[in-house]
Amino acid sequence: MTRFDLSQLTDAKWTFSTRRVDRAVVAAGDTAFDQARPGDLILAHVAELGQHKRVQLTSGRPSFIYPGDAVVLACGARYAPDQFEGIAEIDANGADLLAGGGCIGRMVARNSRVRAATRLIPAARLLDDAGQPVNLERFALQNTTRAQDIPVIAVLGTAMNSGKTLATAQLALGLRRAGYRVAALKGTGTGAFGDYNEYADTGAHLVADFTDAGMVTTFHEPLARVKQGMDRLLHHAAENRCDIAVMEIADGLFQRETAQIIADPAFQARISGLLFACGDAVAAAGGVAELARHGLRPDALTGIVSCSPMAVAEAEAATGVTVLRKEDLADPAEANTFALRALPDLRHSA
Amino acid sequence: MKHLSTTVLKDCTRISASIDRVVAPTPAGRLRAFVLHPTHDAGRAPLVVLHGISRNAKELARLFAPEAARTGRRIVVPHFTPNRWPHFQRPCRAARPDVALAGLMDFLATQDAAFARPAQIFGHSGGAQLAHRFAMLYPNRVARLSLVAAGWYCLPDDRMAYPYGLDDKNDRQLALWVRRHRAGLARFLSIPTEILVGDSDTDRDESLRQTSDLDVVQGTTRVARAATYAEALRTAASQAGVSADVTLTALPGVQHDVAQAIRVAGLARHVAGPDLFPFSQAV
């Protein structure tokens, strides 16, 4: 354990992924970066700006960063085909800002269309008064078996930026307008407030993501932990009296954790509906075929493909699955079709 | 067919109700409404009263006010004004009265959680059109249906193309609406539904939609069409394995006039249900 000036933490920019952390727990720091585990909190200083010129604060707003700025982030991996692939390793001589939401690690590959990662100099791994690393898991929602299961509509897609987040948000909006208490959840991915805020803007009654379940990212996490995280989010939604949840599963069907999830019989049995976002008709056909290989069939297609009437016609002809635009998902009459399929019978009393 | 008593109502004004006017900002546009708040709360489902093509919301609010007081029920009377809502009888591309009605209830629920409960929906003529279509789209929001003298109906089967029934004719736009109406069909068919019509409501006037298909399948008058619809609900419920609670009631001496049905046949009292204090005396 190394003594360091705790006042640095007061001035530091605490990133979105650390929003559940009780800062009073932090009592010390060390430089055993080679022992850092995913989720451990790291104090670092900005060394050189690259792809990310801003970080996302716990307050929900972005903040420009400047060389020398102190930032608190969580050690983690990153899966982002349009940016970086990174792993949860920290070199004392320098580390990478893998995600603006607050993920520090080592970049191992990058998309040729983006700049190199912003470089950070790790200053300390944060410890509690017992000398234990302060990890996001400590502040995660606790699992509970008290809450009843609520129906969940899963949102999957072909890749990043296929329209999953918009679909999740708009379906949550439509369900709220149809009269339900709705949870908008992100089951997998890397912590960032963009999706979280987009969900919250719909007026969803509860918004949460995997960072609430103690993970800065689900990339490289064991399937059992990822599933436990999703269960925690759903239990949390049920405890908050939500009637139904819409849950986005990040990235494409071939991404490692997503592929494991859709192949998992427990997940297949757990979901009450499925929405698939894709970019064009060929992607629609491929996605529907891949889902069929796992015994799944989407209730509807959506995403970028829905912007083009010609692509819609082709996708529907190729798959036999209805394509819904974002306006359709936000329409309470349309959204209610998902809920009515998912929810148990209601009693009538006047 | 059951016949109501023609006894004229006596107001029970000692237990009163206040009337508020609200303008709800809904996703489909602004919707005005009269909201009747009883001084005593029966804890029952709110009652929504939908006007017909005469758009006589103010008159309906006045006629239902004694019922709010007598039964302790919250009563909402939306007013689909002609300028803002030229189409209000059914959801379509031109207008979404269903979204407006749901939005109105959500708006009221922000001030009084009782409005979040599934409601009893009463509608006369065009209001009955909206009422049963709203219930098909949102059966989760409807506790009971009281449909009075609709000109025609959306049959819960595929004998006719949408909007007269649930056949989509392989048309994409129709298919979208048919899918939405079919999604909760079993739940819709389980909603207790009372269909009422004046036994003198037999004119084939210009306000009655008249097509050869409609005349053949649903009947030539509102009385005949009400009977067709009641039977269609029972048959569809049976086929869906749902226990139907559908009644068909004739209002003796009543024409196509909701105010007459209320004054002469006690329609509002019948729809609103039992007294809050059954042993108290009206004064």
Side-chain angles (χ1 to χ4, degrees), chain A residues 176-180 312 316 322-324 328 331-334 336-337 339-341 343-346 348-350, chain B residues 27 44-45 96 98-99 102 106 117 120 137-144 172 176 179-180 183-184 187 190-192:
Chain A
R176 180 176 68 75
R177 287 174 170 171
Y180 300 99
V312 168
E316 290 186 338
T322 301
V323 178
L324 299 177
D328 298 324
D331 188 315
E334 187 66 50
N336 209 18
T337 66
L340 291 168
R341 283 191 293 264
L343 285 162
D345 284 346
L346 303 170
H348 301 287
S349 60
Chain B
R44 293 178 59 196
R96 294 300 300 274
D98 60 317
V99 175
D106 290 342
R117 295 184 59 188
Q120 177 180 358
L137 293 172
Y138 313 99
N140 52 304
R141 302 190 75 135
V142 180
R144 179 176 289 271
R172 190 177 189 278
L176 177 123
R179 187 164 45 78
R180 291 172 176 179
R187 215 162 290 178
S190 73
I191 296 173

Side-chain angles (χ1 to χ4, degrees), chain A residues 134-339:
Chain A
V134 177
N135 191 284
L136 295 182
E137 171 63 26
R138 182 189 296 196
F139 308 98
L141 294 166
Q142 293 307 299
N143 210 355
T144 171
T145 55
R146 293 196 307 273
Q148 285 190 319
D149 284 347
I150 60 170
V152 54
I153 311 300
V155 181
L156 295 164
T158 48
M160 287 181 75
N161 303 323
S162 55
K164 295 182 298 294
T165 299
L166 182 61
T168 303
Q170 294 300 300
L171 182 56
L173 176 61
L175 288 167
R176 180 176 68 75
R177 287 174 170 171
Y180 300 99
R181 283 184 62 84
V182 185
L185 309 173
K186 188 159 183 180
T188 66
T190 299
F193 67 36
D195 296 356
Y196 189 98
N197 288 347
E198 191 167 337
Y199 298 168
D201 289 349
T202 67
H205 299 85
L206 182 129
V207 175
D209 70 8
F210 46 86
T211 61
D212 291 299
M215 292 173 277
V216 63
T217 176
T218 52
F219 186 41
H220 285 170
E221 290 288 348
L223 177 62
R225 187 165 189 228
V226 176
K227 287 171 58 181
Q228 182 193 54
M230 293 194 295
D231 283 343
R232 286 186 186 185
L233 300 181
L234 289 168
H235 284 143
H236 184 51
E239 282 185 323
N240 282 273
R241 299 180 293 108
C242 289
D243 302 307
I244 190 166
V246 187
M247 179 184 280
E248 177 181 352
I249 306 297
D251 306 309
L253 299 183
F254 298 140
Q255 194 273 344
R256 194 180 78 154
E257 285 76 26
T258 301
Q260 291 174 346
I261 289 167
I262 62 174
D264 179 55
F267 173 80
Q268 294 178 4
R270 182 68 184 82
I271 61 175
S272 304
L274 177 56
L275 193 55
F276 185 70
C278 47
D280 56 43
V282 174
V288 171
E290 176 64 11
L291 289 168
R293 203 169 65 78
H294 295 288
L296 294 169
R297 183 170 174 78
D299 297 297
L301 304 175
T302 188
I304 305 296
V305 67
S306 68
C307 298
S308 161
M310 296 171 73
V312 168
E314 289 176 1
E316 290 186 338
T319 64
V321 181
T322 301
V323 178
L324 299 177
R325 302 164 302 158
K326 63 181 180 182
E327 306 92 288
D328 298 324
L329 294 170
D331 188 315
E334 187 66 50
N336 209 18
T337 66
F338 287 87

